Structure formats: C-alpha cells, structure tokens
Amino acid sequence: MAKLNVNGKPLDVKVDDDTPLLWVLREQLGMTGTKYGCGVAQCGACSVHLNGEVQRSCAIPVGSLQATNKIVTIEGLSRDGSHPVQKAWATVDVPQCGYCQSGQIMAAAALLKKTPKPTDTDIDAAMTNICRCGTYQRIRAAVHLAAKGGGKSGASTAQKKA
Amino acid sequence: MTSQSTTLRTPKVSRRKVLAGGAALGTGLALGFHVPALAKAPEGFRPMAKAAGTEVNAWVVVGTDETVTIRIARTEMGQGTLTGLAQLVAEELNCDWKKVRTEYPTPGQNLARKRVWHDFSTGGSRGIRGSQDYVRKGGAMAREMLIQAAATQWKVPVAECKAVGGAVVHEASKRKLTYGKLAVAASKLEPPKDVKLKDPKDWTIAGKPLKRLDTTDKLTGKQLYGVDIKLPGMLNAAIKDAPVIGTPVKSYDESKVLSMPGVKKVVKVNATTVAVVAETWWQAKKALDALPVVYEDTPNAKVTSADIAARLREGLDAKEAFVGNKNGDALAAIAGAAKKVEAIYATPFLHHACMEPMNATALVTANKCEVWSPTQNGEGSLAAASEASGLPLDKCEVYKMPPGGGFGRRGRQDYVTQAVTIAKQMPGTPIKLIWSREEDMMHGYNRPITQCKLTAGLDAQGNLVGFHARISGPSIVAYQNPSVLQGGGDIRMFQGFWADPGEAQIGYTIPNLLVEHAQRATHVPVGPWRGVNTNQNAVYLECFMDEVAKAAGKDPLAFRRALMGNHPKHLGVLNAVAEKAGWGKPLPAGVHRGIAQHMGYGSYSAAVAEVSVDNRGRVKVHRMVLGVDCGVAVNPDQIAAQVEGSVALGLGAAMYQELTVKDGKVVETNFDTYEIMRLAAFPRVETVVVQSGGFWGGVGEPTICVAAPSVLNAIHAAIGRPVRSLPLKNVDLRSA
Ligand code: FES
Ligand code: FES
C-alpha cells in the first residue's frame, strides 16, 4: 500500500512497494501519458516532476515515496495543453512519433522553472532524454521559444501564458 | 493557420463538437473518447473508419458540420505521411484545410471492400510516392461529384460551377452551396471515369509547410499508443524468447512463479519462447524474471562477433559472388592502372530501438480474433492474426495503433503472432503483450552487418578508370523472403550502386565497374532498418571516393563532379549542398568539411558536414547541410523534420552503435550499452529541398545514408587518414 500525491490529488494505491512509480502511474492510476522506454533510467520517457525536480519514474520504487512528495505527470502539467512549453512545442511542431515527448516536455518545464532563460549549454545539459525520431533541433528551438514566452496556440491569437 | 492551431486554441469546444457529431478523428481519433485528464481507452475502443457524415467516396467523408474526414491507409509513425496524404486529398478536393480530420480504415474494412484503400504497408519510403496518384484522384473525383450535385440542383451547366474552400459556387447567379449540404446528393452520383489532377505549381494546400495534424495529443499525454491500451478484463503479458537466438526451450518450472502476486498463467508461446500472464505488466515481468527456463544446446551458443567478422572477411575474396552492376572489365582496368587504391570497410549489426518497445493486444474468442497493433503493415497484422488464431481473415480484425517509432522494425508481425498465440490460450480475455526493452534489443531484426572491399584504378592523369566493390554479409531478402531472390541474389544489397535509373542508381559514370555481393548468413535475424542497404553502401562508396580523390590529388567535390556529367539530378543536389555549405570557403581553425551523395528510394541526397576532432580524438559535428531532391515536395517542413531525424538516427549509429554477439546472444540489451544520440551531440542541421519536379521520390529514408559518410569524410580531412570501420567510438581518432 502506498500513499501518493499525484497532480495535487492524495491517493491510496494497493501495490507492492518495489513497483516502480512509472508502472503505478500507468497501471494502477491509468495515467498512460508517462511512458516506458528502458526501465533503467537511461531514456527519460518516464520523466515526471517530484517536488519540482524532473525525475525518471522507472527508477523510483513506489515504496520510497510518501504522501508529502508531490508528483506531477504530463497529465497534470496543464489542464488543456496551455503550459508555455506545450504551446511552444505546438508552434515549432516538435513531435514526430510523439512517444518521447511527454518526457521531453516534463524535462523542459523543469529546466525553465529553474533557469528561465537557458543558454544552449544549459539546454544541452538538461535535455538528456532520448528521442529516437531525432526531434532535437526542434526541441532546442521550442525551449528557447518557451523561454521567450512565445509559443502561440493559434496563428492569429498571440495568447498570454496560462 | 491550420487545424492543429485551431484545435489547440479551443480544445474543449472542438472536442465536444466532435463527440456530439460522433465523428472519429484518425490519429486524433482517441480525442472524442477521452475521459478528461486521463487517456484511458474506453470500453469498446476500436479505432476504424466510422466518421459521422456522408461518404462521398472511400477517401472522403463530409459531415453536416462541414468537417471533412480523409481516410488514411498508410501508417503514421512519426514520418508525417498522414498529414502529407491529407494535404494531397484536400488539395484536389478544394476543401477548407481547417475542417480536415483523418481516420484509419482497418485492414478488415479494406478486405471487406475489396481493398478500396489499396496497400496499407508503410515502408520503403512509399507512403506518399506509392499512393499519391490514387489518393489525389480520390480527392478530385469527390470534388467533381460535389460540383455535379450543385449543378444539378441549380440546373446550370457543370462548367459554370467551381469548387472553392469547401463549397461549390455559381458566380453568374452568386449562388453557393457548402460541401456539407451537397454530400448526400454527391454520394449518389456515378463517379467520373477520369479526372485531371492539378499541376503541383498550382497547389495551395499540398506543397506547403503546413503543421502536422496529429500533434495536439502528443503534447498532453493523451495520445494512445499500443502500450496504453486498456480493455475491460484485460490481462498483461511479459515475454522471453531464448537469449541464445534460435534455441528451443527444454523445460521451465512454472510452479516457481504461479503463486507470485497477480500471476495468472505461464504460456509456452513457441519453441523458443515463454510468457507470463498477470494482472499487471509489472507483475508479469517480475514473475518472468523469476521463472527458471532451461534451453537446449545449439551450435548458436558458440557464435561470437569475431566469428561473424571472420566469416564476412572470407566472403570478400571468395570465388563466388552475385553481380549487381557491371560494365567494362573492372578487374583488368585496375590491374593495368597507373595507380591502385584499395580499402576494406566494415559496418556492424544495428538495432532499430524504437522508443516504444514492441507490443500488441489481442482478444480471441471461438469465432473472432481482434488485435490492437502498432504496425507499419496493418494487412500483415491481419494475416498474422488469422494464421495464429486459426480463424479465417474475415473473422479477424486489426485496429492500427500509432507506433512509437517504426524505422522498418514494425513491418514484422512477430509480436502480433505472439499476442494472438497467448490470447488464444485464454479465450475471451484481452491480453496486452509488451516486450521489455531487453527483450526488444535481444530479438530485433537487425540491420545487416557487412564488410566491403573496394579497389580502384587511376590513370596517370588521376582519372578513375576502374572500380570494384565486393560486399560480404547477410541478405535481408534471403533471411525474410527467399522466394523473391533474383537469380539467387538480393539486388537490394546494391542500393545506390544500381545501373538502372529511378530508384537507387549510382551517380557516377565509371568506364569499368564491378559491384558484387557474397552472401554470408549468420544466426542473427536481419531486417530493413531505415535506409536499409543505402546506409552501408553510401559509407563504402562515398568514403572510398574521398580516398580515391586524395590519391588522385583532387578536391573531393571536383573529383565527384567530373564523374557525374551523365547524372544531372545526383549532381544537382550535390551542387545545392556544396553551395549552401560554402564548399571551399574558409572555416574556423580546426574545423573541416566532408561531402557525400547517394541515391535511394527514388530520391537524390547529398550532405556536407563541418566537423572538428580534438587532440583526445573526440568528434564534434558543428553543422550539416543536407539536400534532397524528391521531385515533388508535399510538405517542405515535414521533409526538413525527416532530414533532421535521419541525421539523429544515421549519425548516432555511426558514432556509437553496434550490436555485438557473444555466446550466441546479443550483448547490448539496453541504452546503457547501446548508446543513442542525444540533444547535446546533435549538430545544427540545414535542409535544402530541391524540387526538380516530374517525379515522386521518397522522403523518410533517402537522406539517412549521407549523414555518416559526410561526417566520416570530414574526419578524414581532419586527421589525415580514413575511418574504415564503425562505430566511431571504437576508433582511435587522435591525430598521429
Ligand atoms: S523508462 Fe525511465 S528512463 Fe527510460
Ligand atoms: S518523437 Fe519519436 S521518439 Fe521522440
């Protein structure tokens, strides 16, 4: 039995303590936006925010978490895709297959929270998730765009950040 | 403005509208079914062609709300084909792009309608070039029928009516009827026998860098992939094929795991494979890891990479080989040449490593087999489902899930066969099979390992008078589909060396030429990997060309140009990248250029790379300019995206990747040992889309093959010696 706080909701989950948070999110909680790519903390497809820091949820046994740990998943980043990172991603048309993108977006959101105006070097250091489709150039552009507060969700309506 | 931006701006409204109209939206199909905040597959989640509205023809459904749903037969796996095909149909249809939706018909629907949607298979960069003609005709015919319907209603000649932006107008009387109001009448008309397709120069939707149609859900976690399926009563399966490839299971002791939490069943899937079925996948995987399995002894267990290399090496000088291209007498010309250049190159086995591991979900009952399949070949999945379930094709159905990467791997149906085989043993229970990353890495269909011996002869003036290439290694066709070998040989081994124009022609005219292949199979399964043999062949040909140019004392670009007079399209794209990259212009200290060109998949590609190598031998790729001439460009921004992606895959492989074999097993079982290129290493990539027109070439694969050789040639320029084996991580690149 684990007590979790996911996207602002306290939850009780009946599950073995050694189950990785990734699989609890996906299987017990039905939040499938967080993806399995490697299971060994290499690819970042499973990235979530844990107390505001980006973490690879495949490497976090659920038993190591407490109800005070605040977990945010892609489903909780914004209600409707209006987070500045999501908007920038849409403007730059980043995704190809899209499978890695939840993780990329969570990593970028965490980076921008800490470093609102990242340099290319900051981006190199922070954005270490694998994208097998090779969307890296657009990821870099979209991070810069989000940092500038850009990223319109409509071509004719320059929206303010949500 | 695109529908993408529209849906983002008003996500709730559009979603509600979709629900109200009952319309399904292709890859965004899941949209209408989403439970807010959670991407749960609802009960009865069966994505198929079922958009609300009137089907004007198989490709076009028009709703009373003026939405136009375009049916897409090919698989979207990231390569942008879905958007490109929709652009082509919408262009001919003269509809409002903002109203366009898409959906996949199922393979079962295609079968029931006598393959009205043609081929579903998505490989060989054929998604657009292979279907552009009939999908454009589908759009044009629907347009003509809508015009006819309006003309009939107004009792005016058809020639006085025209279709603009989703409506038919009669200018003389200033009348206008939208497609939504005409669709029912139009659908009852006889389709026109023939239609004239637009000249691409008149396009307003196709040919434009429009945003993708399938982005929104990929930004919020709502996009449902195969691994995300959840069906009522579903159980999960984890699977293990023999680590020593091809080794039968002798025994396993299921009593050790049956009492573990959640475990329901242990299943022997085939001679070499066992699976555990449990409530959750994590429980299944834990039990599978704990399951004692004993395997038979096979000779495969003795094979190592060194054995494979030796076997290939023997093929380089073996007497027998299959000739792929020949003119003049290369061996005599080289023997009599003033100067001889010789080199042996080698490239390793490579794995696809799609981000989403292989998976499929199956539900089998006494008289029906359903499969949710992330596949590049929906009809292949249908055939596999029928075979594994023992049910006829018309009792089977496949719901195509958007694959999290394909790159050729998902043309195989092994995971579908497995899922159905397991589900058949538990009738009425949906089974979701997911491979672990380790399983995925150990049981791929890998890019073939090959070696190549190249020999060239130069005359006293440094002209190339003879060229001989002998490739040695396994053939994909011989492994997967031996019945189509031509005269015992696999002509695809020679991609980019072909004499024939149109698909994969060599871009050089050489007076005496011989290209051959000695087939040397191994026990490691092989399959098409994005770009297939163009990858290895472009490294061999283009890196060796630089060696020969150097021996001739000539600039690599000038040396190539002199051989390309009869190949204007190859030359055109080479010149385009050379110009854009500023070939010959000064570079910052320590930075060097390399160039390469090649042809595959009906398109011409070239690249220039700017590279530095530091005194510890570390490579930095600063900038790459890649060009592709695919004849007609359907979406230049998506072409650029494919070019960028091809650099990540092709260059990443050249830098870090090899699949090696020890004791018959794959050694690299996860990303800690099979390193993938990450953002920091990705160079600045500039894409030049050359549109010489008049032909339709592929886009997904053509440029990948020039990524590695352009960088290798720049490294050669930097350190003064060629690199002849990959990956680079194994090569000492320090300057001598
Ligand atoms: S799945 Fe967690 S890092 Fe790859
Ligand atoms: S978009 Fe496909 S893996 Fe990143």
Side-chain angles (χ1 to χ4, degrees):
Chain A
M1 185 73 128
K3 284 192 181 304
L4 298 175
N5 183 315
V6 183
N7 299 331
K9 262 203 225 125
L11 298 162
D12 285 326
V13 193
K14 223 182 123 235
V15 65
D16 282 352
D17 273 2
D18 63 352
T19 310
L21 173 61
L22 166 64
W23 291 101
V24 175
L25 292 171
R26 291 183 54 80
E27 302 205 290
Q28 272 79 21
L29 302 177
M31 297 182 190
T32 53
T34 307
K35 294 292 190 263
Y36 166 65
C38 70
V40 295
Q42 282 287 323
C43 75
C46 64
S47 298
V48 298
H49 294 172
L50 181 58
N51 301 325
E53 302 266 351
V54 67
Q55 295 280 343
R56 293 181 172 171
S57 64
C58 68
I60 304 174
V62 75
S64 71
L65 296 168
Q66 283 140 29
T68 49
N69 294 133
K70 286 195 170 19
I71 299 156
V72 176
T73 70
I74 185 74
E75 289 89 353
L77 187 67
S78 70
R79 278 191 52 214
D80 50 5
S82 61
H83 187 281
V85 169
Q86 289 167 315
K87 289 201 289 185
W89 248 243
T91 303
V92 181
D93 224 11
V94 173
Q96 288 189 28
C97 83
Y99 193 82
C100 73
Q101 298 296 342
S102 296
Q104 305 283 3
I105 288 169
M106 295 309 280
L111 164 66
L112 289 172
K113 210 165 178 188
K114 251 196 198 145
T115 314
K117 299 278 172 220
T119 61
D120 276 332
T121 315
D122 296 329
I123 295 172
D124 285 352
M127 299 299 292
T128 57
N129 290 6
I130 291 173
C131 174
R132 196 65 175 133
C133 297
T135 61
Y136 298 126
Q137 182 149 301
R138 288 163 194 246
I139 289 174
R140 185 188 297 283
V143 172
H144 282 306
L145 182 65
K148 284 198 211 100
K152 305 168 190 168
S153 56
S156 56
T157 48
Q159 288 198 342
K160 286 261 171 61
K161 72 168 263 309
Chain B
M1 171 80 76
T2 66
S3 69
Q4 155 61 25
S5 49
T6 311
T7 46
L8 240 196
R9 193 166 68 236
T10 53
K12 283 196 178 146
V13 176
S14 61
R15 239 163 249 174
R16 230 174 270 138
K17 244 197 230 155
V18 166
L19 272 177
L25 302 180
T27 19
L29 178 141
L31 257 182
F33 295 105
H34 283 321
V35 180
L38 285 189
K40 267 193 195 141
E43 299 213 3
F45 175 72
R46 287 171 170 79
M48 54 169 62
K50 57 183 172 189
T54 303
E55 181 179 301
V56 181
N57 64 26
W59 302 101
V60 175
V61 177
V62 179
T64 48
D65 60 354
E66 304 300 335
T67 54
V68 171
T69 301
I70 295 173
R71 264 76 176 266
I72 306 292
R74 310 278 181 162
T75 296
E76 173 59 53
M77 50 194 159
Q79 83 282 33
T81 298
L82 177 136
T83 304
L85 290 172
Q87 283 178 267
L88 290 174
V89 176
E91 177 64 55
E92 295 293 341
L93 186 59
N94 287 1
C95 66
D96 179 354
W97 179 246
K98 291 198 292 292
K99 301 267 165 54
V100 168
R101 312 283 182 264
T102 60
E103 66 179 8
Y104 286 142
T106 62
Q109 290 179 308
N110 201 30
L111 189 71
R113 292 179 65 175
K114 302 197 173 60
R115 295 192 90 214
V116 66
W117 291 289
H118 303 255
D119 194 354
F120 278 27
S121 148
T122 311
S125 298
R126 277 189 298 269
I128 286 177
R129 65 181 173 131
S131 46
Q132 53 83 17
D133 183 62
Y134 54 76
V135 303
R136 288 195 294 153
K137 281 185 180 144
M141 286 191 180
R143 177 196 69 216
E144 292 305 309
M145 290 156 79
L146 289 157
I147 293 174
Q148 176 69 60
T152 306
Q153 188 169 332
W154 293 326
K155 300 192 177 57
V156 299
V158 166
E160 289 179 12
C161 303
K162 63 179 183 192
V164 226
V168 180
V169 292
H170 184 247
E171 261 161 24
S173 63
K174 299 236 176 324
R175 278 178 293 184
K176 176 175 172 172
L177 278 169
T178 60
Y179 285 1
K181 298 206 169 65
L182 292 166
V184 173
S187 70
K188 296 184 179 134
L189 298 171
E190 191 65 28
K193 289 237 155 25
D194 206 13
V195 279
K196 197 172 167 298
L197 297 176
K198 293 182 188 174
D199 188 320
K201 74 173 170 8
D202 301 324
W203 283 352
T204 60
I205 297 171
K208 304 295 171 219
L210 302 183
K211 293 264 180 72
R212 296 175 64 113
L213 292 171
D214 55 345
T215 299
T216 308
D217 282 1
K218 293 174 179 171
L219 307 179
T220 56
K222 289 199 170 86
Q223 174 74 62
L224 286 177
Y225 297 86
V227 288
D228 303 327
I229 295 279
K230 188 164 189 182
L231 299 164
M234 186 183 83
L235 295 175
N236 289 270
I239 199 160
K240 182 180 183 145
D241 196 347
V244 176
I245 299 163
T247 304
V249 173
K250 195 189 251 174
S251 65
Y252 56 88
D253 183 0
E254 62 182 29
S255 70
K256 292 276 192 305
V257 302
L258 280 176
S259 59
M260 287 176 72
V263 173
K264 299 289 183 192
K265 202 176 170 71
V266 179
V267 178
K268 176 108 181 265
V269 183
N270 61 39
T272 60
T273 311
V274 289
V276 174
V277 180
E279 275 165 28
T280 68
W281 186 78
W282 183 253
Q283 291 169 334
K285 173 171 177 349
K286 256 179 86 173
L288 184 66
D289 290 346
L291 180 73
V293 187
V294 181
Y295 296 93
E296 308 280 357
D297 286 328
T298 67
N300 290 354
K302 298 195 176 62
V303 178
T304 66
S305 281
D307 301 325
I308 294 171
R311 181 163 167 65
L312 266 54
R313 191 73 173 221
E314 176 273 321
L316 293 178
D317 296 307
K319 239 176 125 210
E320 296 288 312
F322 177 67
V323 175
N325 191 358
K326 179 176 163 50
N327 58 262
D329 186 341
L331 301 183
I334 294 165
K339 196 168 188 179
K340 192 172 149 181
V341 187
E342 185 177 297
I344 293 173
Y345 280 75
T347 56
F349 282 122
L350 288 174
H351 192 274
H352 299 83
C354 302
M355 276 310 284
E356 180 192 26
M358 297 304 111
N359 67 89
T361 300
L363 171 57
V364 181
T365 60
N367 54 12
K368 180 121 185 118
C369 171
E370 295 175 280
V371 178
W372 289 254
S373 178
T375 178
Q376 293 179 232
N377 186 353
E379 292 175 302
S381 289
L382 189 72
S386 170
E387 205 179 317
S389 66
L391 291 164
L393 283 172
D394 63 1
K395 295 271 188 288
C396 299
E397 185 55 292
V398 170
Y399 312 107
K400 292 201 299 178
M401 302 302 295
F407 315 122
R409 176 63 181 87
R410 284 186 157 104
R412 297 293 291 187
Q413 305 296 339
D414 46 335
Y415 48 93
V416 170
T417 301
Q418 292 172 345
V420 172
T421 304
I422 299 166
K424 197 182 168 186
Q425 301 189 37
M426 306 183 83
T429 301
I431 302 292
K432 176 163 74 178
L433 167 69
I434 305 177
W435 290 23
S436 66
R437 174 58 63 193
E438 289 76 13
E439 184 68 14
D440 193 286
M441 291 297 298
M442 292 174 83
H443 295 286
Y445 290 87
N446 305 290
R447 189 176 109 181
I449 187 170
T450 58
Q451 294 181 10
C452 185
K453 183 171 182 178
L454 299 120
T455 324
L458 293 165
D459 67 14
Q461 287 73 46
N463 298 308
L464 182 58
V465 293
F467 174 93
H468 177 208
R470 162 72 69 90
I471 303 162
S472 174
S475 141
I476 296 166
V477 177
Y479 180 80
Q480 294 195 347
N481 205 2
S483 64
V484 303
L485 288 174
Q486 299 178 8
D490 174 2
I491 58 162
R492 202 163 56 169
M493 290 303 303
F494 307 109
Q495 282 179 303
F497 278 121
W498 294 7
D500 291 341
E503 179 69 14
Q505 189 186 25
I506 187 168
Y508 306 115
T509 306
I510 302 168
N512 300 285
L513 172 110
L514 177 63
V515 185
E516 318 163 286
H517 171 224
Q519 206 192 112
R520 292 294 179 271
T522 79
H523 79 297
V524 180
V526 290
W529 185 100
R530 191 178 186 177
V532 195
N533 296 298
T534 63
N535 288 296
Q536 302 92 316
N537 293 347
V539 166
Y540 303 151
L541 176 59
E542 288 303 288
C543 294
F544 187 62
M545 269 294 165
D546 266 38
E547 293 197 44
V548 178
K550 194 173 172 185
K554 295 182 183 168
D555 169 75
L557 174 60
F559 185 75
R560 283 176 173 80
R561 278 179 175 156
L563 299 169
M564 294 174 76
N566 295 332
H567 298 281
K569 288 195 193 300
H570 292 79
L571 182 59
V573 68
L574 183 72
N575 284 337
V577 295
E579 187 186 342
K580 170 107 181 175
W583 187 266
K585 298 223 174 85
L587 282 164
V591 180
H592 298 265
R593 283 195 190 93
I595 196 163
Q597 67 83 24
H598 208 71
M599 183 185 189
Y601 305 93
S603 291
Y604 306 81
S605 297
V608 172
E610 295 176 6
V611 175
S612 57
V613 183
D614 71 13
N615 53 13
R616 288 166 56 190
R618 289 175 308 190
V619 174
K620 173 85 189 157
V621 184
H622 303 276
R623 173 191 183 213
M624 292 184 75
V625 177
L626 290 98
V628 59
D629 182 358
C630 51
V632 177
V634 175
N635 186 323
D637 191 48
Q638 285 310 308
I639 294 173
Q642 288 310 293
V643 168
E644 291 156 23
S646 74
V647 170
L649 210 76
L651 185 55
M655 290 176 85
Y656 317 116
Q657 292 158 13
E658 62 176 338
L659 200 93
T660 63
V661 177
K662 188 164 182 282
D663 304 329
K665 300 179 211 173
V666 165
V667 174
E668 295 77 13
T669 61
N670 210 320
F671 297 136
D672 47 356
T673 44
Y674 197 79
E675 200 180 337
I676 310 284
M677 175 179 269
R678 295 172 199 255
L679 181 141
F682 192 78
R684 179 154 63 90
V685 173
E686 296 165 35
T687 300
V688 187
V689 181
V690 179
Q691 298 191 55
S692 62
F695 67 98
W696 295 71
V699 167
E701 292 170 278
T703 56
I704 189 167
C705 63
V706 289
S710 60
V711 169
L712 295 177
N713 285 339
I715 293 172
H716 183 176
I719 65 173
R721 59 183 192 277
V723 177
R724 292 172 176 160
S725 82
L726 293 174
L728 287 169
K729 69 164 184 182
N730 295 343
V731 184
D732 184 352
L733 298 175
R734 285 172 296 187
S735 296

